[in-house]
Amino acid sequence: DAGVTQSPTHLIKTRGQHVTLRCSPISGHKSVSWYQQVLGQGPQFIFQYYEKEERGRGNFPDRFSARQFPNYSSELNVNALLLGDSALYLCASSRDLEPSYNSPLHFGNGTRLTVT
Amino acid sequence: GESVGLHLPTLSVQEGDNSIINCAYSNSASDYFIWYKQESGKGPQFIIDIRSNMDKRQGQRVTVLLNKTVKHLSLQIAATQPGDSAVYFCAENRSQAGTALIFGKGTTLSVSS
């Protein structure tokens, strides 16, 4: 079975631009979450969507937005890019709303975003 | 602050040794814990998870131990192999506080042959 797939794998943008990152969850998974991972640190929660509704939001500015489509795929949008937005953006999916013993969170390999 | 952390940023072992990676958490309300392995250039890979009503869970070559008294979590890897070299993260979920996983900073495991 295919795991969580993300595109593109790498992206270079300049300050002030916007970016759209895409994610396809594991088949049968209705929950998609987005995490930001800065070099040398653990992933930090940005958003969670479940059944096309936002169910959680981390401590990120309004420049960050996301949505989930009827097929459960998702997009993460970041506007007015800053140098500090350079990071690995990870998408994760799970079957249920909350990560749990029977529904762990599975991650994709991420999109490496570099802002110059 | 309320976050998941790891005791050691790096751990070096010889091939064949058993490895123990530790993690401390601060919130007794946390009720679900996961260990992830992250290799260079890849996303975190699910290893094993445990609920707060369990003390121990075993997988293939891995065991997770949970000590709620001292808020401590550990991952034991038996017969460590070079392919186990990676950064290991523990993460917690507090079901009363939302759906996000809270990650620590990670431990880099280096296995030499």
Side-chain angles (χ1 to χ4, degrees), chain A residues 4 6 9-10 35-43 87-91 106-112, chain B residues 36-46 83-89 103:
Chain A
V4 177
Q6 294 186 242
T9 55
H10 296 82
Y35 285 76
Q36 181 195 65
Q37 187 176 25
V38 175
L39 193 63
Q41 298 187 15
L88 180 68
Y89 288 86
L90 295 161
C91 176
H106 294 277
F107 285 84
N109 285 328
T111 294
R112 172 70 64 187
Chain B
Y36 286 95
K37 170 187 179 183
Q38 188 172 24
E39 297 175 279
S40 180
K42 295 185 178 181
Q45 176 187 356
F46 172 82
D84 295 326
S85 295
V87 180
Y88 289 80
F89 293 96
F103 284 80

Side-chain angles (χ1 to χ4, degrees), chain A residues 95 99-104, chain B residues 25 28-35 46 48-58 64-68 72-73 91-93 95:
Chain A
R95 185 192 65 201
S100 67
Y101 192 69
N102 295 316
S103 178
Chain B
Y25 64 96
S28 58
S30 296
D31 51 14
Y32 175 64
F33 304 88
I34 308 179
W35 281 100
F46 172 82
I48 192 167
D49 56 358
I50 189 168
R51 293 183 300 220
S52 59
N53 62 353
M54 304 167 70
D55 297 323
K56 177 180 179 179
R57 189 177 181 208
Q58 288 184 298
V64 56
L65 298 177
L66 177 62
N67 186 330
K68 295 179 287 293
H72 183 268
L73 190 69
E92 65 175 310
N93 178 253
S95 60

